[in-house]
Amino acid sequence: MNKVFVVMRREFLARVRTRAFIVLTILFPVVMVAFSVLPALLSRGANRTSRVAIVDATGDSLGVRVEAALARERLSRDSVSLPRYQVERVVAGPANLARVRDSLVARTGVSHDAQSFDGVLVLTDSTLTTGRLEYLGSNTSAFEAMGQIEGTISQTMIGRRLERAGVNPAVMTGAMRPADMKTIKVSDGKATGQSGMTSFFIAYFMGFILYFAMILYGQQTLTSVVEEKTSRIMEVLASSLRPFEMLLGKVIGVGSVGLLQLAIWGGSIFLVSSQRVHIGQLLHVSADAIQQFPIPSMPPDLLAIFLVYFVLGFLLYGAVYAAVGSMFNTTQDAQQASMFVQMVIMVGFFTLFAVLKDPTGSLAVTMSFIPFFSPFIMPARWSLTAVPTLELAISLSLSVLALLAVTWLAGRIYRTGILMYGKKPSMMEVVRWVRSK
């Protein structure tokens, strides 16, 4: 066991000290903070009070109503925040409509004039009936801002039309209020307080992290074996270590690097999700804005399930990658052969999307019992629904048995492959390696 620890320690330190590991480990928390506060920062920078001129040629109260509706709009949900629009209404008639509009347009988008307008809104006497109006401004490419103005005007026009038809707009607005359904996850007959959207994102996030880790660290294991084999270091190690000890130490060492990285990332997610308000205060972003991008937290039981399946899945695939690496003399040949392993990993990841739609269906249950796919499926099912204890026990038992079988099989291939040079082995030769004593 001491020899396994020596190999494991070497593999662990060799990767932790690399610049790529340090950059990637630090980069992820930075990206998480950026995703948490950047939308609010960008929104804060873009959201300012816009000066809008209204050319009112309606001959009706519509222009006054549009002016009042725009003046009520705020930059955020907070009622004490700055107004979204500073409105100036100019009454015009059919005869002087063009002259008034052009005079206001001449004051639009002038950078050196603090009293210039951002846009000019033109309402005619046919606007109420046809719904047609014009907006001439310097910010027409800002689709969100244009949509906000159009939505406010549309609501005002609907209210005015209803009044003309003798219908109370307040009654109509109340009758047309849409449903606002809140989804809450239920587990074992008890509401957990976790929304359905949060459960979905957690499940997808776990699947993506597992997929990323399997591909990244599996390839590192494969490359390490090939490099040591081609440099003849394996021959030196084989004189003092049994092949199985080398295999076990290498897989556990690389897996420990992945676990360390996950622990750092998980701690970063917890800190960002629990300290969002304080982060917003440091960056001078309102609490309301920072809360609009929630980062879901992971319950302790789900975290434990995820870590257990991550360890089982990585050891399983790590042993396979090491066995494949020991069969070839060049990294190119080994990577080509490892494509079959990557395809299995991809099947597990993409099956996750079907499980997200129906976590209790026959496909989800069946796939959670297959050891090569259960690391992706079972944590997602645990996040989305209540998984029976018996199913969890069967899945874990099958995963452990498969790990032992694959490790034994990989060890038989590894012990012969690391000392074989020359041509690529055929499938029959690999079978003979396994069967030899």
Side-chain angles (χ1 to χ4, degrees), residues 94-418:
N96 65 342
L97 173 61
R99 180 177 58 80
V100 173
R101 179 196 62 199
D102 293 343
S103 65
L104 294 172
V105 169
R107 297 171 54 191
T108 300
V110 182
S111 58
H112 61 269
D113 186 1
Q115 297 301 315
S116 69
F117 295 107
D118 292 290
V120 177
L121 190 65
V122 182
L123 305 175
T124 66
D125 55 356
S126 63
T127 295
L128 188 61
T129 55
T130 63
R132 297 195 182 111
L133 64 153
E134 285 184 346
Y135 180 87
L136 300 92
S138 59
N139 57 341
T140 54
S141 60
F143 300 113
E144 183 180 0
M146 296 300 98
Q148 289 170 342
I149 293 178
E150 186 177 14
T152 301
I153 296 174
S154 297
Q155 291 298 319
T156 305
M157 291 171 60
I158 291 172
R160 180 57 183 148
R161 289 169 183 160
L162 291 173
E163 283 186 356
R164 279 192 168 186
V167 179
N168 188 342
V171 175
M172 195 68 180
T173 301
M176 295 180 65
R177 185 175 293 114
D180 184 12
M181 186 174 68
K182 181 180 180 181
T183 58
I184 301 175
K185 178 186 173 183
V186 175
S187 179
D188 293 330
K190 296 180 181 179
T192 62
Q194 188 180 80
S195 68
M197 187 60 67
T198 299
S199 301
F200 175 88
F201 279 118
I202 289 177
Y204 177 79
F205 176 77
M206 289 189 301
F208 178 78
I209 288 294
L210 190 61
Y211 171 79
F212 177 79
M214 294 294 185
I215 297 294
L216 175 64
Y217 291 109
Q219 286 291 334
Q220 287 189 11
T221 303
L222 179 142
T223 304
S224 176
V225 172
V226 175
E227 289 177 350
E228 291 180 356
K229 180 178 178 179
T230 54
S231 63
R232 304 282 180 165
I233 295 177
M234 284 294 187
E235 297 178 5
V236 178
L237 294 175
S239 62
S240 57
L241 290 169
R242 288 184 299 172
F244 184 76
E245 292 175 336
M246 287 190 286
L247 172 68
L248 193 61
K250 187 174 291 292
V251 172
I252 295 177
V254 178
S256 300
V257 176
L259 279 176
L260 174 63
Q261 202 165 53
L262 281 180
I264 295 174
W265 290 353
S268 302
I269 293 173
F270 174 77
L271 289 175
V272 172
S273 61
S274 61
Q275 303 297 322
R276 279 179 301 210
V277 176
H278 298 292
I279 294 174
Q281 290 174 351
L282 290 175
L283 298 173
H284 304 290
V285 177
S286 66
D288 180 70
I290 201 73
Q291 291 291 346
Q292 291 180 7
F293 192 87
I295 300 176
S297 57
M298 189 177 293
D301 59 332
L302 178 59
L303 179 60
I305 292 294
F306 174 67
L307 291 178
V308 168
Y309 275 97
F310 174 84
V311 172
L312 291 174
F314 183 84
L315 292 177
L316 182 69
Y317 281 105
V320 174
Y321 270 110
V324 172
S326 68
M327 294 163 56
F328 299 93
N329 300 314
T330 65
T331 303
Q332 183 178 0
D333 292 338
Q335 288 179 343
Q336 289 178 353
S338 70
M339 289 296 297
F340 296 100
V341 184
Q342 294 181 28
M343 288 176 62
V344 176
I345 296 175
M346 291 175 64
V347 169
F349 177 68
F350 286 112
T351 304
L352 180 63
F353 292 95
V355 175
L356 292 176
K357 293 182 179 180
D358 187 10
T360 59
S362 57
L363 176 64
V365 175
T366 302
M367 295 290 279
S368 63
F369 291 149
I370 302 176
F372 285 96
F373 305 131
S374 58
F376 298 96
I377 306 304
M378 186 56 79
R381 289 187 61 206
W382 190 273
S383 172
L384 297 170
T385 187
V387 178
T389 306
L390 179 60
E391 290 186 11
L392 177 64
I394 294 175
S395 176
L396 286 173
S397 300
L398 291 175
S399 296
V400 172
L401 291 175
L403 174 61
L404 295 175
V406 170
T407 304
W408 177 85
L409 186 66
R412 307 284 286 189
I413 298 173
Y414 189 86
R415 66 174 183 174
T416 305
I418 57 175

